Amino acid sequence: MKTTYIKCLFGALGLFFLPHLCVAQKSNIPNNLAIPLTLQQNIISKNLQKGELVEFEVAQDIYFETGNIPAGTKAYAEVVKVNKRKGWGKPGKIVLNVTYLQIGDEKIKLKALYIEKEGISKKGKAWTWFGVGFFYVPLNIIPPLCIKGTEAILEIGTTTVAYTIND
């Protein structure tokens, strides 16, 4: 009787603790599992190109019935759109799309809202220079061309939530 009781106790404890000790595999991750992601480096629109991958990390351990995703697991976002700052006060802009989570050799698809960041516009200043220059010195339209907006910067620690997609 004692042996049966002990087996049941260890069996119950094993069912409770075992899934949390197993690292997730693509086949056992539930659909629409929320995963908080954190950016680990500053990103500036001046240094990016469209199609480039930006690295995020899972912010905390994620537990579910058949396993877990440990904190620090790498996730990647693709640069969908990037504009560098331009003349006439136009600011830089970055748009990222979170695409997948990398667990070992497996890629798990993710979906999330686009991450968008725009620099500070200085169009008002440029148009003021143009207006003043046009009325007082007709050839003085060069200063607005030199006034540029600021670059878009995504700071370290930027956080977003992505959701798993099962094929």
Side-chain angles (χ1 to χ4, degrees):
M1 184 74 173
K2 280 187 178 182
T3 309
T4 308
Y5 177 73
I6 291 172
K7 285 181 184 176
C8 288
L9 181 62
F10 283 129
L13 289 175
L15 288 175
F16 179 73
F17 288 111
L18 187 60
H20 302 297
L21 299 176
C22 300
V23 175
Q25 295 176 350
K26 190 173 186 177
S27 60
N28 68 1
I29 294 179
N31 199 20
N32 288 326
L33 179 67
I35 301 175
L37 303 173
T38 305
L39 187 62
Q40 297 301 312
Q41 73 274 1
N42 288 331
I43 296 177
I44 303 171
S45 60
K46 172 170 70 172
N47 304 334
L48 287 178
Q49 292 181 345
K50 186 176 178 180
E52 190 174 336
L53 291 178
V54 176
E55 189 175 280
F56 282 78
E57 285 186 1
V58 175
Q60 64 187 35
D61 291 333
I62 307 295
Y63 296 101
F64 49 94
E65 286 182 25
T66 56
N68 75 339
I69 300 172
T73 302
K74 303 294 182 200
Y76 296 91
E78 181 183 2
V79 177
V80 176
K81 182 177 182 180
V82 62
N83 294 334
K84 295 165 180 38
R85 70 185 186 144
K86 296 179 182 174
W88 286 92
K90 294 179 185 170
K93 185 174 186 175
I94 301 171
V95 180
L96 302 177
N97 181 25
V98 178
T99 53
Y100 67 92
L101 182 70
Q102 183 81 40
I103 298 179
D105 295 337
E106 292 186 281
K107 293 180 179 179
I108 292 106
K109 288 185 181 180
L110 298 175
K111 63 180 175 181
L113 295 175
Y114 282 169
I115 302 166
E116 242 179 272
K117 180 72 178 199
E118 189 170 73
I120 298 170
S121 174
K122 295 185 180 176
K123 288 180 185 176
K125 195 174 194 179
W127 279 102
T128 301
W129 267 100
F130 177 74
V132 170
F134 184 75
F135 287 114
Y136 293 108
V137 182
L139 298 176
N140 195 11
I141 61 167
I142 295 172
L145 296 173
C146 298
I147 296 172
K148 296 183 176 187
T150 61
E151 294 290 348
I153 301 172
L154 273 173
E155 290 92 11
I156 190 169
T158 300
T159 304
T160 189
V161 177
Y163 298 89
T164 57
I165 302 173
N166 289 340
D167 293 335

